[in-house]
Amino acid sequence: MSQAIEYEKIGDVAVLAANNPPVNALGLEIRKGIINGLESAEVDGAKAVLIYGKGRTYFSGADIREFGKPPVRPFLPDVCDRIESSPLLVVSALHGAALGGGLEVALSSHYRIAIPTTRIGFPEVNLGLIPGAGGSQRLPRISGVSAALEIITSGRHVLAPEALELGILDEVQDGDPCEIGLSYVQALLQRSAPRRPISELPSPAGIDFDAACEAMLKKGRGQLSGAVAVRAVQAACEADSFAAGLARERELFLELMGTDQRKGLIHAFFAERAVAKLPELKGVEPRILHQVGVVGGGTMGAGIASAVLLAGLPVVMLEMSHEAAYAAKNRIASNLNGAVKRGKLSQSDFDEILQDRLVLAIDYGALSNVDLVVEAVFEDMEVKKQVFSSLDAVCKPGAVLATNTSYLDINEIGATTSRPQDVIGLHFFSPAHVMKLLEVVVADETSLEVMATGFALGRRLGKVSVRAGVCDGFIGNRILNTYRACADHMVLDGATPYQIDKALTDFGFAMGPFAVSDLAGLDIGWAMRKRKRAEGLNPQARDSTYADKLCEAGHFGQKTGRGYYVYEPGKRTGTPNPDVMSLVEADRDAQGIVARSFSDEEILRRYMASMVNEAAKVVGEGIASRPLDVDVTLLFGYGFPRFFGGPLKWADLQGLPGILEDIRKWSNEDSFFWQPAPLLEQLVSEGKTFEDLNAHN
Ligand code: T1G
């Protein structure tokens, strides 16, 4: 069996090569291998030790899969102390992503060299943690408190040139990590370079840590890790010794390790990767994608075209007229301009895209050679059917015919073509070139190859793709409609939109549901309510008119300057609209409702229970493959606070029996809205969790 750390003595240098694909995570065998390697080097009479990673990267951190399990010695802090205290000169040669514990191992070495494409960083805060092996004590000593705080609390990746400037790296040189490492060690030995234990450097000067902690708590909207990281860095400045600082770091680290936020964030990390791994796609080859067509150049169509163009694929944009086609091109240019301003696109690439990679067309024939086409025309079934019959007539055999519809029945759309097996839903979220979520909606006839092609396009566009089944709203919007209705019911019964919004921002959402409606446009909800009423509302379903009255007065939210909130020109946050509550009171009167008060706690329980209950139905009906697919959808498309891991991870952490008990209690007041999801009842009766279902798939 190959060793996790391979040992070889080359001249005076003992080389420790990590061989633990895919990311050289610092699991138990690696940790033991480093210590054994150091002992061998010291026995073998080596003068120096070189540590580097084989494969794609230097150590990319502790093995996250070990978290939550009983820790096994040697612990990483002990490995780092052993490296730093070695009597030999220890050098690390970095490449790929030297992150978390990986960077801590590098900082315990006496010198660090890296190739130019190397990224370093402390992403622990994104896992609900802080560096737990001396990173919060060593980094401030070499790069200063402010730079260290920014790197540790942001979790961002720092590129090699910046890391060199900050003193984190000593050398940046192109080449093979082992080779540049060996030549660097030789150079150090020739000039009798001394060992340089960072722990022996003086404590850095402090800052106002209380203010920094307060600011981090506010910025994290309730996430703890950033604020706790401030306290760990504070220990680097104020503890009596390096050892005391390490002890304080360890104490804070272990406290965070025990939190639900750590469980939620690590669930999110693995779910984001698992969501694209579907058993039915195993061994299924996606079709080749060389050119994409987009039908409809409005906000969504232009956004989708922008995303495809930014991913390096050519696009044929079909509109109904030259004017509409040019208007679409201008929208795309504006989107790409944003990418240039954000430094994501060079000006020359911008020019090349608009001159060569984007082709405008007003005739369907221009789509005859595309490998995949996405329609993003008006959300009307008859219009979609016309588009698909035209596509069916002109697109080459094997072309994937995709619709961006957010709720229409894709089975019905596919049935209008001769090739329903090539029809799929690709539900982008606005702005389509920015939002990461993509719902890949699989109709009854959609072939596995076409589904795999939808996921391949998502990967190419840098999206987080989730498989969804066909229903009204697929996964995200269906669940949104339910918890949004719950909020409306609470307003009718006595709460205010503003109290509900605050309860949800206190919970961790960036915005509450009513502020979100103002942002998206109140006319969207209005159209949906009118559609559902036209389709025939269930007589048991509660309805409300106060929002309609707001729309009838032309108030659609931010885009008209007034909705639930009033927006000063150019401002994105508003103040409560004084006209709203009179509309609510009129609605209550008309329905004979006597308003009652709601506590913030009850608002949150009801709102979250409605979300969990609908999500359980979505999983139970197979619209979502697993609970993790719902979690990823709500995290990446609906602003669910990531430190809870998603609504179903949150439900597991709260305890499913309590949630079901609430739902059963509230079903006495409204048996239609609060129908317990069969899957939720089943899990509770079996004493299981949603996580148990994730593990099974
Ligand atoms: N532990 C275990 N598995 C990991 C892992 C890790 N640290 N990092 C990645 N994987 C798995 C991942 O689940 C996937 O598995 C495969 O490797 C490829 O990953 C004490 C406490 C390094 C930038 O947070 O950011 O150190 O799906 O698809 O896009 O202070 O992985 O193939 O089965 O993401 O090329 C700190 C997390 C840990 C880094 C590469 N380190 N990883 O991205 O590949 S905490 C991190 C990443 C810590 C110490 C603290 C990325 C990457 P599978 P991938 P990628």
Side-chain angles (χ1 to χ4, degrees):
M1 183 183 83
S2 67
Q3 297 293 317
I5 293 283
E6 295 168 1
Y7 177 88
E8 183 185 4
K9 186 142 175 295
I10 301 175
D12 292 338
V13 183
V15 180
L16 275 55
N19 182 22
N20 183 27
V23 297
N24 281 323
L26 287 148
L28 178 61
E29 290 313 309
I30 284 264
R31 301 197 300 274
K32 289 198 292 192
I34 291 173
I35 287 187
N36 295 339
L38 288 167
E39 285 162 1
S40 304
E42 287 153 11
V43 166
D44 286 357
K47 290 186 178 157
V49 177
L50 172 66
I51 303 174
Y52 80 98
K54 283 188 162 181
R56 58 203 269 209
T57 180
Y58 185 77
F59 308 110
S60 284
D63 189 334
I64 305 174
R65 285 162 304 187
E66 288 180 354
F67 294 161
K69 296 172 188 164
V72 180
R73 292 179 187 280
F75 302 145
L76 192 56
D78 304 329
V79 175
C80 291
D81 289 348
R82 181 68 180 80
I83 290 168
E84 187 177 72
S85 59
S86 170
L88 305 180
L89 196 68
V90 183
V91 176
S92 272
L94 281 58
H95 77 296
L99 303 171
L103 179 55
E104 290 173 308
V105 167
L107 290 174
S108 310
S109 308
H110 304 132
Y111 293 85
R112 288 158 291 284
I113 186 170
I115 67 172
T117 53
T118 305
R119 292 171 287 153
I120 61 113
F122 281 127
E124 287 89 338
V125 287
N126 299 329
L127 299 172
L129 296 167
I130 59 169
S136 69
Q137 308 302 303
R138 290 190 170 92
L139 185 60
R141 281 175 162 80
I142 52 168
S143 58
V145 168
S146 300
L149 263 185
E150 190 277 326
I151 290 170
I152 293 171
T153 57
S154 68
R156 72 180 174 94
H157 292 183
V158 179
L159 303 181
E162 184 186 359
L164 182 67
E165 259 177 53
L166 291 170
I168 299 168
L169 297 174
D170 301 298
E171 293 278 340
V172 173
Q173 192 184 326
D174 210 349
D176 169 76
C178 182
E179 287 168 11
I180 62 167
L182 280 169
S183 60
Y184 185 45
V185 170
Q186 294 305 346
L188 291 166
L189 289 173
Q190 270 154 18
R191 66 173 199 245
S192 308
R195 293 171 55 256
R196 287 187 319 176
I198 292 176
S199 61
E200 292 173 8
L201 294 176
S203 301
I207 59 167
D208 180 348
F209 287 105
D210 291 343
C213 193
E214 196 53 42
M216 199 41 65
L217 268 180
K218 191 161 181 293
K219 186 177 167 200
R221 283 202 294 275
Q223 185 167 332
L224 300 168
S225 51
V228 172
V230 172
R231 296 307 181 193
V233 171
Q234 181 174 3
C237 304
E238 299 177 359
D240 297 340
S241 66
F242 181 82
L246 270 187
R248 176 67 178 142
E249 177 196 76
R250 193 76 187 155
E251 179 189 5
L252 293 169
F253 173 81
L254 292 174
E255 274 172 26
L256 284 175
M257 187 60 89
T259 61
D260 282 352
Q261 289 192 6
R262 186 269 303 165
K263 294 170 191 164
L265 284 163
I266 286 178
H267 168 76
F269 174 86
F270 285 116
E272 184 182 338
R273 288 156 175 82
V275 77
K277 293 188 193 108
L278 292 161
E280 63 267 38
L281 288 187
K282 206 165 178 55
V284 178
E285 277 305 306
R287 290 180 187 159
I288 300 292
L289 288 175
H290 286 312
Q291 187 178 43
V292 171
V294 177
V295 180
T299 303
M300 284 309 291
I304 294 166
S306 303
V308 176
L309 290 162
L310 285 167
L313 286 170
V315 167
V316 176
M317 164 58 77
L318 178 73
E319 254 294 356
M320 307 301 284
S321 68
H322 289 299
E323 296 73 22
Y326 280 112
K329 180 172 183 178
N330 290 337
R331 288 188 196 97
I332 292 167
S334 165
N335 293 339
L336 298 185
N337 246 328
V340 171
K341 284 189 187 122
R342 291 195 303 273
K344 303 267 185 211
L345 184 73
S346 69
Q347 188 59 49
S348 58
D349 284 348
F350 172 91
D351 299 336
E352 187 266 331
I353 285 173
L354 291 184
Q355 279 150 23
D356 307 332
R357 218 182 294 168
L358 171 64
V359 171
L360 301 181
I362 59 171
D363 178 277
Y364 272 92
L367 298 172
S368 61
N369 199 33
V370 299
D371 304 300
L372 179 146
V373 58
V374 188
E375 66 77 20
V377 299
F378 186 60
E379 280 287 71
D380 173 276
M381 182 55 88
E382 290 319 307
V383 174
K384 302 265 189 207
K385 285 182 176 179
Q386 284 164 16
V387 168
F388 270 79
S389 52
S390 302
L391 293 175
D392 193 21
V394 302
C395 290
K396 66 185 179 186
V400 174
L401 311 182
T403 170
N404 175 56
T405 184
S406 58
Y407 68 88
L408 292 173
D409 184 337
I410 300 172
N411 290 314
E412 193 177 334
I413 294 173
T416 57
T417 71
S418 64
R419 41 177 140 174
Q421 71 281 6
D422 293 336
V423 174
I424 193 167
L426 293 179
H427 181 217
F428 291 83
F429 288 74
S430 186
H433 62 295
V434 175
M435 290 293 283
K436 285 187 75 78
L437 182 65
L438 172 65
E439 282 180 317
V440 179
V441 189
V442 181
D444 298 347
E445 304 289 320
T446 305
S447 75
L448 287 175
E449 203 182 50
V450 168
M451 180 179 160
T453 308
F455 274 88
L457 178 68
R459 259 194 310 280
R460 183 73 186 266
L461 302 184
K463 300 292 183 185
V464 176
S465 306
V466 180
R467 175 219 166 269
V470 173
C471 73
D472 190 337
F474 313 136
I475 298 174
N477 282 348
R478 171 167 161 186
I479 295 169
L480 163 67
N481 292 339
T482 299
Y483 65 76
R484 192 61 188 72
C486 179
D488 277 339
H489 296 172
M490 289 193 281
V491 166
L492 282 176
D493 292 340
T496 72
Y498 316 105
Q499 183 190 9
I500 292 173
D501 274 358
K502 183 173 182 315
L504 273 306
T505 50
D506 289 351
F507 175 73
F509 281 91
M511 297 167 83
F514 295 94
V516 170
S517 295
D518 269 2
L519 174 66
L522 300 183
D523 45 332
I524 293 175
W526 190 25
M528 187 199 66
R529 288 193 299 277
K530 286 190 279 191
R531 169 172 68 85
K532 294 204 169 197
R533 287 174 190 138
E535 288 165 358
L537 266 183
N538 183 304
Q540 291 178 287
R542 296 187 68 179
D543 201 357
S544 61
T545 60
Y546 66 88
D548 301 340
K549 294 278 186 290
L550 210 47
C551 294
E552 285 158 18
H555 303 316
F556 294 159
Q558 287 195 24
K559 59 183 164 186
T560 62
R562 185 179 281 262
Y564 288 105
Y565 297 86
V566 177
Y567 300 88
E568 296 303 319
K571 291 260 179 75
R572 296 180 67 81
T573 48
T575 52
N577 178 351
D579 304 337
V580 167
M581 287 318 292
S582 54
L583 297 174
V584 171
E585 279 143 23
D587 205 343
R588 288 173 183 159
D589 294 348
Q591 299 195 48
I593 295 170
V594 177
R596 69 170 178 87
S597 65
F598 279 79
S599 68
D600 289 355
E601 196 267 341
E602 181 184 4
I603 286 171
L604 190 60
R605 285 183 78 88
R606 284 177 175 261
Y607 191 86
M608 287 304 302
S610 68
M611 186 186 297
V612 169
N613 199 41
E614 193 64 32
K617 291 174 185 170
V618 162
V619 176
E621 295 165 22
I623 298 297
S625 306
R626 302 149 294 190
L628 69 86
D629 296 75
V630 171
D631 286 338
V632 170
T633 300
L634 273 286
L635 289 174
F636 285 91
Y638 296 80
F640 194 88
R642 189 177 171 91
F643 55 78
F644 286 124
L648 296 182
K649 184 61 182 178
W650 174 87
D652 279 350
L653 292 170
Q654 300 305 308
L656 301 189
I659 295 171
L660 179 58
E661 188 186 336
D662 279 348
I663 291 169
R664 284 175 171 157
K665 180 178 63 182
W666 296 326
S667 67
N668 294 327
E669 69 192 41
D670 180 345
S671 60
F672 177 72
F673 184 80
W674 293 108
Q675 286 172 23
L679 176 63
L680 181 58
E681 294 186 301
Q682 178 196 333
L683 289 174
V684 170
S685 66
E686 294 169 358
K688 289 189 175 170
T689 62
F690 287 111
E691 183 57 25
D692 292 328
L693 299 179
N694 290 330
H696 284 177
N697 284 290

